Amino acid sequence: DLTTLSFRHAPSLTILQRRDNSGRLSVCTKLCYAIGGAPYQITGSALGFFLQIYLLDVAQLDPLHASVILFVGRAWDAVTDPTVGFLVSRSRWTRFGRMMPWILISTPFAVLTYFMIWFVPPVEQGKVLWYLVFYCLFQTLQTCFHVPYSALTMFISTEQKERDSATAYRMTVEVLGTVVGTAIQGQIVGGAIAPCLPGDLDILHNGTSVLLGSDNNISLNAMLEVNCDLLAQILSVVGRLKMEPMSFFDGVKMVMGYGPYVKLVMGFLFTSLAFMLLEGNFALFCTYTLGFRNDFQNILLVIMLSGTLSIPFWQWFLSRFGKKTAVYFGITWAVPFMILIVSIESSLVVAYVVSVAAGVSVAAAFLLPWSMLPDVVDDFKINHPDSNGHEAIFYSFYVFFTKFASGISLGISTLSLDFAGYVTRGCSQPDAVNLTLKVLVAPAPAVLIVLGLFIFKSYPIDEAKRQGNRKLLQEMRDNEQDSETESTELGTIV
C-alpha cells in the first residue's frame, strides 16, 4: 500500500505523500512542504543583507576582521553541506524516516545560535572569536536542517509537473520569508543603527584603526593560509568516514563526473554569485553611495516584495516557454537596471523602480535552480539505474559550491572596502569606497551573469529531453511494479 511504499522509499515523507483522488499532490500538501523553507530564507536574508553592515557599524569591527568572519563562516558552511549530505544518505531509517530526525534535532539549537550572532558581547578583545564561533555553529546547524529538507523534493512525487509545482510553492514561501526577514531585520537595523561620526575622513579612518588595535595588520595571505589548513583538516576527517556501499570521495567522483550536473551547477554558481554580491553590498551602497541612510531598509523590502509577487509568473513562464528560456530571460532582466542605478545621480524614485525590476530577477534566481535540479537527478537515474539513494548528495553539493564561492566573494568585497579606506560609522565615505561599492553592485554582478549564462548554454537537458526522461522513468517504474507483482504472485504460489 501507499504507506508501506512511502516508508520503503522515502520514510521522511509519509505525511507529504498524501494525494487527492486524481493522483496529484493536494494544495495542503504543497503548502505544508513549502512552509519548511521559510525559516532558512528569513535568517538567510537577514544575514545576507545586514550582517556585513552590522559587524562594521554596530559591533564596530574593522573591515578586515569582518571579512575574516564572513569568509570563514561561508567556507565552513560550504564544507558542511556535502558532509551533511553524505551523512544523511548513510543515516539509518527510523520511524520518522531518514531525514526528519536531522531537521527536528537541529532546529532548536540553530535558533539559539542565531540569536547569539546578533548579540554584542561586553568584551572588546573577544568579539571576533564570538561572532566567528556562533556564525559557524549556526551555519552548521542550518545545514543539518536545509540539506535533508531540500532533498525531500525528489520524494514528494514521481511526476515532474508535481515536483515543479511543489517547488514553486516552496519558492513563493521562501521569497516571502526573505520579505519577512528583510522587513523585520531592516526596521530593527534602520531604527537602532549607531549614529554616524562627522569629521575628516582621513582622521576618522586612522583613528578607527588605532582604536581597533594593531591586529589590523593581518595579511590576506595569512588569512587564506589559515582557512585552507582548516578546510584541509575538515576534508581529511570526512575522508576517513568510509561507509559502505560508497565512500565520501566515491560520492564526490560520481556527482562531479556527471556532465549535466556540473554544467547546471557551474552555470548557476556564477549567476548566484552575482545576486549574492549585489545582496551583500546593496545596504552599504544605498546608505553611503546613494545617501539613503534612512530608506535603505525599505528599498530592500521592495526588492523582496517584488520577488514574491513574481514567483507565480516565472512558474507560468517556465511551463509555457521552457526552463532554459526562463533562465536567459529572467537572469538577464536585472542587468540593465543594475547599470542604471550606478550611472545616474542619486534619485530615490529611480532606486525604487530599480528595486522592483531587480526583484523580478531575484525571483527567477530563486526558483529556477531548484526547479531544474530534479531534472538532472532524473537524468542521472536513467543513466545509472542501479545507483539509488544519492539525492541528498546532489543537493548538498549544489549548495556547497554556491556557498563556498559566495563566502569568497563576500570576503573579497569586504576586504576591497578596507583597501579603499572604509570608515566605520562615517557619515560619508571616501570616493574610493563609493567607487568600490558601485563596482560591487553593478559591473561585477553583470560579468558573473554573462559567464554563468555562457556556461549554461551547453546544459543538455532542454524541454524535449526532459519530457523524454519523464516517459523513460515512467516505463522504469512500471517495469519495477510488474516485477514486484510477479515476485509476490510467485511467492504466493510457492
Side-chain angles (χ1 to χ4, degrees), residues 184-327:
I184 295 176
Q185 196 80 9
Q187 298 305 317
I188 293 174
V189 173
I193 193 168
C196 61
L197 299 176
D200 185 84
L201 293 176
D202 291 332
I203 296 176
L204 286 174
H205 180 67
N206 295 330
T208 301
S209 299
V210 172
L211 289 173
L212 290 170
S214 60
D215 290 340
N216 195 36
N217 295 322
I218 300 174
S219 68
L220 176 60
N221 290 333
M223 180 188 74
L224 294 176
E225 182 179 351
V226 171
N227 289 311
C228 288
D229 290 342
L230 174 64
L231 298 180
Q233 293 175 11
I234 295 171
L235 290 175
S236 66
V237 173
V238 173
R240 292 195 292 269
L241 295 174
K242 295 289 185 177
M243 298 184 181
E244 297 296 337
M246 178 177 290
S247 69
F248 177 81
F249 287 105
D250 287 338
V252 174
K253 184 178 180 180
M254 175 198 68
V255 170
M256 296 312 301
Y258 194 61
Y261 178 77
V262 173
K263 292 174 182 177
L264 179 74
V265 169
M266 294 305 295
F268 278 121
L269 170 64
F270 284 99
T271 58
S272 297
L273 283 178
F275 287 101
M276 290 178 183
L277 200 60
L278 175 65
E279 175 188 278
N281 294 280
F282 200 68
L284 290 173
F285 175 75
C286 291
T287 301
Y288 294 113
T289 305
L290 297 183
F292 302 141
R293 175 178 291 272
N294 298 322
D295 297 285
F296 76 89
Q297 67 271 20
N298 297 323
I299 295 174
L300 299 180
L301 182 59
V302 169
I303 294 177
M304 295 298 101
L305 285 172
S306 174
T308 302
L309 297 176
S310 300
I311 288 287
F313 166 77
W314 287 119
Q315 177 61 25
W316 168 83
F317 190 97
L318 66 86
S319 299
R320 177 67 176 83
F321 300 102
K323 297 180 181 180
K324 289 190 70 171
T325 303
V327 169

Side-chain angles (χ1 to χ4, degrees), residues 467-484:
Q467 294 302 324
N469 286 347
R470 184 182 65 82
K471 295 178 181 179
L472 290 174
L473 284 172
Q474 187 60 50
E475 292 176 1
M476 292 172 62
R477 285 191 292 267
D478 292 340
N479 291 335
E480 290 177 359
Q481 292 177 358
D482 292 341
S483 298
E484 291 178 0

Side-chain angles (χ1 to χ4, degrees), residues 125-143:
Q125 295 298 323
K127 279 185 179 180
V128 175
L129 183 62
W130 173 279
Y131 291 115
L132 184 61
V133 168
F134 281 108
Y135 189 37
C136 290
L137 282 176
F138 172 73
Q139 298 285 24
T140 302
L141 293 166
Q142 188 185 48
T143 298

Side-chain angles (χ1 to χ4, degrees), residues 27-39:
V27 173
C28 180
T29 297
K30 295 175 184 177
L31 286 174
C32 289
Y33 168 67
I35 289 173

Side-chain angles (χ1 to χ4, degrees), residues 291-430:
F292 302 141
R293 175 178 291 272
N294 298 322
D295 297 285
F296 76 89
Q297 67 271 20
N298 297 323
I299 295 174
L300 299 180
L301 182 59
V302 169
I303 294 177
M304 295 298 101
L305 285 172
S306 174
T308 302
L309 297 176
S310 300
I311 288 287
F313 166 77
W314 287 119
Q315 177 61 25
W316 168 83
F317 190 97
L318 66 86
S319 299
R320 177 67 176 83
F321 300 102
K323 297 180 181 180
K324 289 190 70 171
T325 303
V327 169
Y328 291 125
F329 188 79
I331 300 299
T332 57
W333 173 260
V335 174
F337 296 96
M338 291 179 185
I339 297 173
L340 174 65
I341 193 110
V342 300
S343 301
I344 64 173
E345 294 185 4
S346 176
S347 170
L348 187 59
V349 174
V350 173
Y352 278 112
V353 171
V354 171
S355 299
V356 173
V360 176
S361 276
V362 168
F366 263 96
L367 175 63
L368 291 170
W370 296 108
S371 179
M372 299 174 76
L373 197 53
D375 299 335
V376 175
V377 179
D378 284 344
D379 192 70
F380 177 84
K381 288 181 178 179
I382 291 173
N383 290 279
H384 301 81
D386 297 328
S387 184
N388 298 309
H390 305 309
E391 291 83 3
I393 298 178
F394 275 95
Y395 277 80
S396 62
F397 267 94
Y398 170 73
V399 179
F400 165 80
F401 286 106
T402 303
K403 288 183 177 180
F404 185 74
S406 69
I408 294 176
S409 69
L410 283 175
I412 291 176
S413 67
T414 311
L415 284 175
S416 299
L417 295 176
D418 183 37
F419 296 149
Y422 180 86
V423 179
T424 301
R425 291 179 57 194
C427 291
S428 62
Q429 296 293 338

